[in-house]
């Protein structure tokens, strides 16, 4: 008869395990509500051993946010094939998958809240590092959208459209988490419509954006989300 023996983890393996455990706990509740004791218990180790790998809850919290930000940025990766509207819709579905799986953690990441109270240098440094993670996610999303549009040197109006849309996706997700009063699937489609709408408004003021919009709509199938938006807008203007 054999007995089970707990396998000893290496330093980096244990660190990654603790980050995963912390991220899972932070995803279910506010980081302020999660204790080191709870993290240690979930990881199957002692409280002092957690401090052996991380000097405190703040450093573990930041490591969990780093993993979350990397995972969120990866949700914007999409093969550059097929109509743009369908690609953006798949991105939004993965984005909201993350939001739904990591509700409190997503809110903490986007709102830049550190796991330590106060307004001292330590807290300010934590906020600064968290903001850098958020900016990294936004930049990754921005770069991906440019790649899908096959544009390397974007004009100012296009940069405004893309960055405004990324901010809109963030705020929409945060508002949705607070009560989930609108069906998630409807918001995913609406955000894709929002991208086209922002581009259309910009196109009304700039010929370069108008040409980009023509290209976007020209590649869109009859059942695509951009075509759906055009149909909805035309229907609104039809006499009753």
């Amino acid at each position: 008869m054999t007995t089970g023996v707990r396998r000893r983890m290496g330093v980096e393996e244990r660190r990654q395990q603790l980050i995963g455990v912390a991220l899972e706990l932070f995803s279910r509740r506010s980081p302020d509500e999660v204790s080191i004791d709870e993290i240690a218990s979930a990881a199957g180790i002692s409280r002092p051993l957690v401090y052996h790998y991380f000097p405190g809850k703040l450093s573990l919290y930041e490591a969990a946010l780093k993993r979350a930000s990397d995972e969120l940025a990866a949700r914007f990766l999409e093969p550059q094939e097929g109509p743009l509207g369908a690609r953006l819709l798949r991105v939004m579905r993965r984005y909201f998958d993350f939001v739904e799986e990591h509700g409190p953690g997503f809110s903490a990441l986007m709102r830049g809240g550190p796991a330590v109270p106060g307004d001292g240098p330590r807290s300010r440094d934590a906020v600064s590092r968290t903001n850098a993670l958020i900016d990294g996610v936004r930049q990754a999303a921005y770069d991906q959208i440019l790649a899908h549009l096959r544009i390397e040197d974007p004009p100012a109006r296009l940069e405004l459209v893309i960055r405004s849309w990324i901010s809109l996706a963030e705020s929409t997700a945060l508002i949705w988490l607070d009560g989930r009063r609108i069906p998630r699937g409807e918001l995913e489609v609406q955000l894709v419509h929002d991208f086209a709408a922002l581009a259309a408004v910009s196109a009304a003021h700039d010929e370069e954006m108008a040409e980009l919009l023509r290209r976007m709509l020209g590649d869109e199938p009859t059942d695509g989300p951009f075509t759906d938006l055009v149909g909805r807008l035309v229907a609104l203007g039809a006499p009753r």
Side-chain angles (χ1 to χ4, degrees):
M1 187 174 81
T2 59
T3 58
V5 178
R6 180 179 296 179
R7 184 173 63 85
R8 186 181 182 86
M9 292 186 181
V11 173
E12 186 57 27
E13 186 180 9
R14 177 65 78 183
R15 279 179 55 84
Q16 293 305 316
Q17 183 219 15
L18 285 170
I19 291 171
V21 167
L23 180 58
E24 175 65 23
L25 292 172
F26 294 150
S27 295
R28 296 200 299 262
R29 303 203 315 279
S30 168
D32 291 335
E33 299 174 359
V34 178
S35 68
I36 286 290
D37 286 333
E38 188 175 357
I39 294 170
S41 176
I45 62 176
S46 66
R47 175 190 174 96
L49 194 54
V50 175
Y51 285 111
H52 175 74
Y53 295 99
F54 293 93
K57 178 179 169 180
L58 176 60
S59 62
L60 182 51
Y61 171 76
E62 290 178 345
L65 284 187
K66 176 64 168 64
R67 181 180 290 186
S69 67
D70 289 344
E71 184 180 339
L72 182 56
R75 302 295 172 110
F76 286 89
L77 295 174
E78 173 71 22
Q80 296 172 24
E81 303 170 352
L84 179 63
R87 285 183 250 168
L88 291 179
L89 184 55
R90 288 192 292 270
V91 167
M92 284 297 95
R93 285 170 178 162
R94 289 197 300 272
Y95 184 80
F96 271 85
D97 281 344
F98 181 93
V99 172
E100 192 158 31
E101 293 163 8
H102 303 284
F106 175 82
S107 296
L109 176 64
M110 288 302 151
R111 292 184 169 122
V116 291
D119 191 35
R122 189 173 176 225
S123 180
R124 289 194 295 271
D125 287 347
V127 171
S128 178
R129 288 190 294 271
T130 302
N131 287 339
L133 292 177
I134 299 167
D135 288 342
V137 173
R138 291 168 179 158
Q139 188 61 41
Y142 175 76
D143 292 341
Q144 281 299 308
I145 301 302
L146 281 183
H148 283 292
L149 295 172
R150 294 179 170 82
I151 294 177
E152 295 183 1
D153 186 19
R157 289 183 188 275
L158 178 58
E159 180 175 0
L160 180 61
V161 165
I162 297 175
R163 294 198 185 279
S164 297
W165 182 71
I166 292 168
S167 296
L168 179 60
E170 291 176 10
S171 58
T172 298
L174 287 170
I175 293 170
W176 177 75
L177 281 172
D178 186 18
R180 310 190 184 199
R181 293 172 291 172
I182 301 175
R184 171 186 150 175
E186 291 182 14
L187 285 182
E188 292 165 355
V189 173
Q190 182 176 314
L191 280 166
V192 177
H193 287 174
D194 287 333
F195 183 86
L198 287 168
V201 170
S202 186
H205 297 271
D206 182 82
E207 180 54 35
E208 191 172 9
M209 285 298 300
E211 181 57 35
L212 175 62
L213 183 64
R214 293 187 195 102
R215 178 156 58 88
M216 286 168 47
L217 295 178
D219 294 337
E220 186 75 357
T222 57
D223 60 347
F226 292 166
T227 306
D228 176 55
L229 173 62
V230 172
R232 290 171 183 262
L233 293 175
V234 169
L236 285 175
R240 295 189 174 185

